[in-house]
Amino acid sequence: METAAVRLLKAEEIECRVSTINEKGLSLLLFKDARVDQKILDETFTPFGWKRSHQMLDGNLYCTVEIWDGEKQQWIGKQDVGTTSYTEKEKGQASDSFKRACFNWGVGRELYTAPFIWLGADQVEIRKKDNKYCTSERFSVRGIGYSGEREITSLVIANGRGQVVYRMGKRADSGPEGGTEVSSQQIRELKKELERTGVPLRNVLDRYRITDLDQMTEETYRNAMSGLKKSRNRDVA
């Protein structure tokens, strides 16, 4: 039983939350929800190989996540405390303490290596309401890559319209698990196939709901290339 066995988060498993906002722009934080923690714990240790419990200590709610160690034939637990939620206090503390305990087991710990994400006012719609700045825009992670040390090396964030508003670092080759972007060589190969088949670039972008080839992940690249290689006319198979 090793923490390293816990896989890295995929792009679609990471959510974006507005951290600070003012007239000049806003900053984003990356986070995971409890459903992702449960999914990864199930995948890594099986649904019967882990369990959780909660304890109230000095007015704070703690969560203990225990993993079954087959070699030692015993449960190994790691614990952390939750913070208060302004909406649902008890539910918020329970969820937060669980997510923090999962961090201790390595689930999503790579998020601690995320860069400071700042979007200027020219990139987002910001308005002032009741003397406070706010935005109705939503953001999502479209691509992410990791180093061998499980640190974030590339990151692409898009708004609700599919427009890329943030891009970090160089393309990383961490494999499909990290949901990484495709390489420059792969984009060149895709463009060659588009030229050979006569398929308009717009058809591919619309099919995979992206606005630029730079937003392609390994999975969408493989699917697009598979269809193009089967095509002898202007239709993607």
Side-chain angles (χ1 to χ4, degrees):
M1 180 184 67
E2 297 180 359
T3 302
V6 176
R7 68 167 173 80
L8 296 162
L9 295 176
K10 301 175 182 178
E12 60 270 21
E13 294 172 329
I14 304 171
E15 298 183 38
C16 300
R17 175 184 298 159
V18 175
S19 175
T20 60
I21 185 171
N22 57 43
E23 73 279 8
K24 296 181 179 179
L26 58 83
S27 63
L28 296 176
L29 289 178
L30 304 182
F31 71 100
K32 58 182 174 63
D33 64 22
R35 290 184 293 273
V36 171
D37 290 305
Q38 294 167 352
K39 176 183 176 182
I40 293 180
L41 288 174
D42 283 350
E43 289 178 5
T44 308
F45 306 108
T46 79
F48 304 101
W50 68 276
K51 61 181 180 178
R52 63 186 282 190
S53 59
H54 292 272
Q55 305 85 33
M56 186 67 76
L57 301 173
D58 297 327
N60 297 310
L61 188 64
Y62 286 76
C63 178
T64 301
V65 173
E66 297 176 80
I67 306 297
W68 178 253
D69 189 327
E71 295 181 2
K72 297 180 179 178
Q73 290 293 295
Q74 66 182 35
W75 291 96
I76 307 297
K78 295 188 178 183
Q79 186 182 74
D80 214 323
V81 65
T83 58
T84 303
S85 169
Y86 291 105
T87 53
E88 300 175 79
K89 183 176 181 180
E90 292 184 1
K91 182 179 178 181
Q93 282 194 1
S95 177
D96 191 62
S97 61
F98 173 62
K99 289 185 289 184
R100 288 171 179 265
C102 288
F103 271 126
N104 290 335
W105 280 109
V107 182
R109 192 180 295 170
E110 59 272 20
L111 294 183
Y112 287 131
T113 70
F116 176 68
I117 304 169
W118 176 260
L119 307 180
D122 59 332
Q123 297 173 280
V124 297
E125 296 178 0
I126 296 176
R127 66 180 186 278
K128 194 171 186 180
K129 182 179 180 180
D130 298 329
N131 294 320
K132 293 183 179 180
Y133 291 95
C134 60
T135 181
S136 59
E137 291 204 64
R138 297 292 180 266
F139 306 94
S140 61
V141 176
R142 300 296 294 269
I144 190 167
Y146 305 99
S147 69
E149 289 72 40
R150 302 172 68 89
E151 296 180 348
I152 297 174
T153 56
S154 67
L155 177 66
V156 178
I157 295 176
N159 59 23
R161 298 181 295 281
Q163 300 170 326
V164 174
V165 293
Y166 178 86
R167 188 184 300 276
M168 167 207 172
K170 299 179 180 179
R171 301 178 186 279
D173 184 17
S174 63
E177 181 178 79
T180 61
E181 301 171 83
V182 295
S183 67
S184 299
Q185 177 61 33
Q186 288 173 311
I187 289 181
R188 287 194 292 270
E189 292 174 355
L190 181 62
K191 288 181 177 179
K192 287 182 180 179
E193 283 298 301
L194 290 174
E195 292 176 3
R196 181 184 68 79
T197 59
V199 174
L201 172 60
R202 174 51 54 187
N203 287 15
V204 175
L205 298 179
D206 290 345
R207 180 165 186 171
Y208 296 103
R209 298 180 180 180
I210 57 179
T211 59
D212 190 275
L213 288 179
D214 282 346
Q215 298 173 21
M216 294 197 88
T217 64
E218 288 282 351
E219 182 179 0
T220 56
Y221 168 78
R222 289 195 298 271
N223 292 339
M225 286 294 285
S226 176
L228 287 169
K229 287 183 180 296
K230 296 175 183 177
S231 300
R232 295 183 179 179
N233 50 42
R234 304 183 72 85
D235 295 322
V236 177

